[in-house]
């Protein structure tokens, strides 16, 4: 009896498969008839997907799904089209078969890169130039977190709103805030507002990872590239910075510091990539107590112990923390944080000589004086550049001519490293045919 039952079940299964095949063939014939002998709907969808253009690649425009919505309103393409006849990248919204059988198909949200900056005093224009350089080349959309004094908020909002046509970024403006019981002490540390960066993990509690930069930073290649370094962190690393110096003979920390510092020459915090989820969870070793302390608990004790011995404020505190927790720091090469110190006495950043400068850091105010004209030339070129493709592309030749005028300085003698990566970035993002972008 069991043998006959098995045969019966097998026959029913075969019959059901045959029925499904017959329905699929009927659906194809109905679809061809509805299309009036025209092209297949899959081809139409494929052409729509291919026509997304540069804006879609760079995350532009919230209405990118309109074409799929229109397609799904046409039941000649949806209701009669069995789910197994559709390509894998076709949306099933409002479609009978796909709703029933392709329930697990979801459009994944595009990852945003989070960029934070702290601006006080006369730093509005410098900060806007930094943000512009981030937007010009980046591919994934950006979320800006701007911490600024109250009197700068309206100016930032007006300038950023004028860029809203880009649709590749969002922004939030925050006031400068410190823990209330020690606010005055934190604010006067080093420069006004500089130590705000120490409290970003506590303020931006919903942000997993963050790239913090000083206002005097210029991106000469996509932010995406430094953002991708997060994936290179091992299981113990929580942040990434570049060395303060490559050459110990001109290093500041190894010659003058009166406190512990990371490595041989310390690290520079002007460009700091952070996995803030890990930072909030970690318990840090320290020289104040045998008990390990979390990020929010260690800052004030560190300041109380070393405030008479530190010169560079929050950067010194970070050096002390990573001296005691060296396994937690990922160190990236100097081309990701290239400063006048790398060329003022002769070139000492080998990676930049080979591949060019990735991120330019104009500390010591060199964008606004004549001490390092090569740095100022790059800053002025990007400050005056607009977002149009032809304008970005056309900045190279005038910039090179300006840099050639700086060869009387050590930095100017190697001016080609200032445009090597910039040239590549422009070629990669603006010289391709529009259909490839």
């Amino acid at each position: 009896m069991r043998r006959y039952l098995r045969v019966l079940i097998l026959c029913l299964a075969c019959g059901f498969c045959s029925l499904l095949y017959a329905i699929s063939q009927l659906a194809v014939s109905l679809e061809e008839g509805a299309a009036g002998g025209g092209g297949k709907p899959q081809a139409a969808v494929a052409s729509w997907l291919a026509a997304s253009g540069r804006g879609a690649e760079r995350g532009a425009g919230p209405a990118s799904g309109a074409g799929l919505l229109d397609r799904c309103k046409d039941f000649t393409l949806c209701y009669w089209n069995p789910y197994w006849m559709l390509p894998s990248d076709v949306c099933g919204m409002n479609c009978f078969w796909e709703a029933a059988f392709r329930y697990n198909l979801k459009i994944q949200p595009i990852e945003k890169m989070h960029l934070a900056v702290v601006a006080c005093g006369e730093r509005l224009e410098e900060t806007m130039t930094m943000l512009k350089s981030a937007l010009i080349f980046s591919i994934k959309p950006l979320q800006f977190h701007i911490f600024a004094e109250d009197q700068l908020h309206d100016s930032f909002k007006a300038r950023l709103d004028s860029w809203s046509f880009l649709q590749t970024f969002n922004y939030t403006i925050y006031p400068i805030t410190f823990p209330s019981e020690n606010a005055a002490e934190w604010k006067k540390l080093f420069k006004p507002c500089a130590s705000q960066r120490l409290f970003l993990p506590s303020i931006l509690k919903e942000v997993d990872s963050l790239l913090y930069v000083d206002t005097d930073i210029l991106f000469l290649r996509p932010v995406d590239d430094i953002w991708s370094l997060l994936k290179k962190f091992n299981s113990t690393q929580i942040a990434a910075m570049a060395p303060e110096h490559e050459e110990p003979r001109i290093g500041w920390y190894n010659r003058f510091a009166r406190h512990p510092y990371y490595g041989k020459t310390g690290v520079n915090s002007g460009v700091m990539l952070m996995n803030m989820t890990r930072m909030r969870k970690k318990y840090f070793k320290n020289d104040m107590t045998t008990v390990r302390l979390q990020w929010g608990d260690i800052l004030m004790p560190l300041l109380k112990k070393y405030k008479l011995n530190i010169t560079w404020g929050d950067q010194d505190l970070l050096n002390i923390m990573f001296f005691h927790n060296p396994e937690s720091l990922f160190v990236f090469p100097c081309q990701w944080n290239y400063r006048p110190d790398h060329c003022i006495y002769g070139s000492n950043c080998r990676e930049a000589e080979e591949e060019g400068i990735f991120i330019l850091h104009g500390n010591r105010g060199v964008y606004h004086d004549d001490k390092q004209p090569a740095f100022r030339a790059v800053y002025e070129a990007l400050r005056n550049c607009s977002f149009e493709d032809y304008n970005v592309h056309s900045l190279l030749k005038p910039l090179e001519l300006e840099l050639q005028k700086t060869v009387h300085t050590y930095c100017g003698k190697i001016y080609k490293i200032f445009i090597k990566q910039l040239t590549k970035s422009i070629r990669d993002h603006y010289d391709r045919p529009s259909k490839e972008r």
Side-chain angles (χ1 to χ4, degrees):
M1 185 67 183
R2 290 182 179 177
R3 182 181 302 173
Y4 292 116
L5 183 61
R6 290 175 183 171
V7 172
L8 177 62
I9 293 174
L10 180 62
C11 290
L12 289 174
C14 292
F16 181 71
C17 292
S18 300
L19 179 62
L20 289 179
Y21 177 76
I23 293 174
S24 71
Q25 295 302 307
L26 175 63
V28 170
S29 63
L30 287 171
E31 186 176 298
E32 290 176 349
K40 291 183 179 181
Q42 289 92 333
V45 174
S47 64
W48 177 86
L49 290 168
S52 58
R54 174 183 160 217
E57 181 179 329
R58 297 183 65 184
S64 59
L68 289 177
L69 287 173
D70 292 339
R71 172 189 174 277
C72 284
K73 290 177 182 177
D74 188 347
F75 277 82
T76 63
L77 304 183
C78 293
Y79 185 87
W80 294 107
N81 204 350
Y83 75 98
W84 61 84
M85 299 294 294
L86 293 173
S88 61
D89 55 359
V90 173
C91 168
M93 193 179 300
N94 296 329
C95 299
F96 174 80
W97 281 100
E98 294 172 79
F101 295 100
R102 300 183 69 171
Y103 57 88
N104 62 340
L105 179 64
K106 295 181 181 179
I107 299 175
Q108 296 297 322
I110 299 175
E111 178 193 8
K112 281 187 178 181
M113 301 178 292
H114 293 262
L115 178 67
V117 64
V118 179
C120 290
E122 304 296 323
R123 297 286 184 164
L124 173 66
E125 192 65 33
E126 192 173 81
T127 305
M128 292 304 301
T129 304
M130 179 276 291
L131 297 175
K132 183 193 293 184
S133 73
L135 287 169
I136 284 176
F137 302 118
S138 295
I139 300 169
K140 290 194 288 288
L142 284 157
Q143 175 68 49
F144 295 143
H145 301 274
I146 302 169
F147 292 80
E149 291 176 309
D150 293 345
Q151 63 268 26
L152 295 177
H153 285 203
D154 289 342
S155 298
F156 270 117
K157 187 176 186 303
R159 296 283 294 274
L160 289 165
D161 286 348
S162 71
W163 294 352
S164 59
F165 66 91
L166 293 173
Q167 296 184 326
T168 56
F169 75 98
N170 291 308
Y171 71 88
T172 306
I173 301 175
Y174 307 82
I176 301 295
T177 54
F178 297 107
S180 56
E181 62 272 19
N182 308 107
E185 197 165 4
W186 284 114
K187 189 164 186 177
K188 67 182 181 181
L189 180 65
F190 187 44
K191 294 180 180 179
C193 308
S195 57
Q196 179 73 77
R197 81 180 85 181
L198 296 176
F199 301 95
L200 297 182
S202 303
I203 298 172
L204 303 176
K205 295 180 180 179
E206 303 303 316
V207 177
D208 174 67
S209 296
L210 182 76
L211 175 62
Y212 167 85
V213 295
D214 287 346
T215 60
D216 50 9
I217 290 296
L218 293 174
F219 293 93
L220 305 186
R221 67 181 293 170
V223 176
D224 307 65
D225 295 332
I226 190 169
W227 190 259
S228 68
L229 296 180
L230 286 165
K231 296 178 180 178
K232 294 187 177 183
F233 284 17
N234 65 29
S235 59
T236 66
Q237 290 167 338
I238 64 172
M241 289 183 277
E244 174 68 14
H245 290 282
E246 307 302 310
E247 175 52 65
R249 289 177 296 177
I250 61 172
W252 193 92
Y253 283 111
N254 56 289
R255 292 189 297 160
F256 306 116
R258 296 177 294 164
H259 58 79
Y261 56 88
Y262 179 88
K264 294 181 179 180
T265 60
V267 286
N268 184 279
S269 60
V271 179
M272 185 175 179
L273 187 63
M274 297 178 277
N275 183 321
M276 297 206 298
T277 299
R278 291 185 181 182
M279 292 175 77
R280 287 185 284 260
K281 292 180 178 180
K282 182 175 175 61
Y283 286 84
F284 293 86
K285 293 174 286 186
N286 60 87
D287 58 358
M288 300 168 292
T289 173
T290 56
V291 178
R292 297 190 179 196
L293 300 174
Q294 287 188 290
W295 187 271
D297 301 323
I298 199 172
L299 295 175
M300 196 61 214
L302 270 182
L303 178 61
K304 287 182 177 179
K305 178 171 182 176
Y306 288 105
K307 64 180 178 180
L308 299 179
N309 295 326
I310 58 178
T311 302
W312 309 111
D314 52 304
Q315 179 173 290
D316 291 346
L317 295 181
L318 289 169
N319 267 279
I320 297 168
M321 292 176 71
F322 288 110
F323 168 83
H324 293 291
N325 301 269
E327 75 287 350
S328 298
L329 188 64
F330 178 96
V331 180
F332 47 67
C334 49
Q335 60 194 8
W336 291 105
N337 187 352
Y338 191 91
R339 287 159 280 121
D341 290 330
H342 291 118
C343 57
I344 193 171
Y345 303 117
S347 181
N348 59 58
C349 179
R350 179 177 53 82
E351 291 85 355
E353 294 172 9
E354 295 174 355
E355 299 181 272
I357 299 168
F358 295 169
I359 294 178
L360 194 68
H361 186 176
N363 63 339
R364 302 182 181 177
V366 295
Y367 293 153
H368 313 293
D369 58 32
D370 296 321
K371 294 179 180 178
Q372 295 299 329
F375 281 77
R376 183 169 184 172
V378 178
Y379 173 77
E380 293 293 339
L382 288 170
R383 184 175 70 88
N384 296 324
C385 179
S386 62
F387 290 104
E388 289 81 5
D389 288 12
Y390 73 88
N391 204 310
V392 175
H393 190 277
S394 64
L395 71 81
L396 277 175
K397 190 61 178 178
L399 173 58
E400 185 171 7
L401 292 174
E402 285 299 313
L403 287 170
Q404 288 173 357
K405 298 176 183 178
T406 71
V407 294
H408 61 284
T409 65
Y410 280 114
C411 295
K413 288 178 180 179
I414 54 172
Y415 73 86
K416 290 186 178 180
I417 71 171
F418 286 81
I419 57 174
K420 189 172 186 177
Q421 185 59 221
L422 185 61
T423 301
K424 183 179 184 301
S425 296
I426 291 175
R427 184 179 67 246
D428 290 348
H429 291 268
Y430 293 93
D431 281 0
R432 290 177 296 171
S434 58
K435 66 179 180 180
E436 296 180 10
R437 296 189 222 152

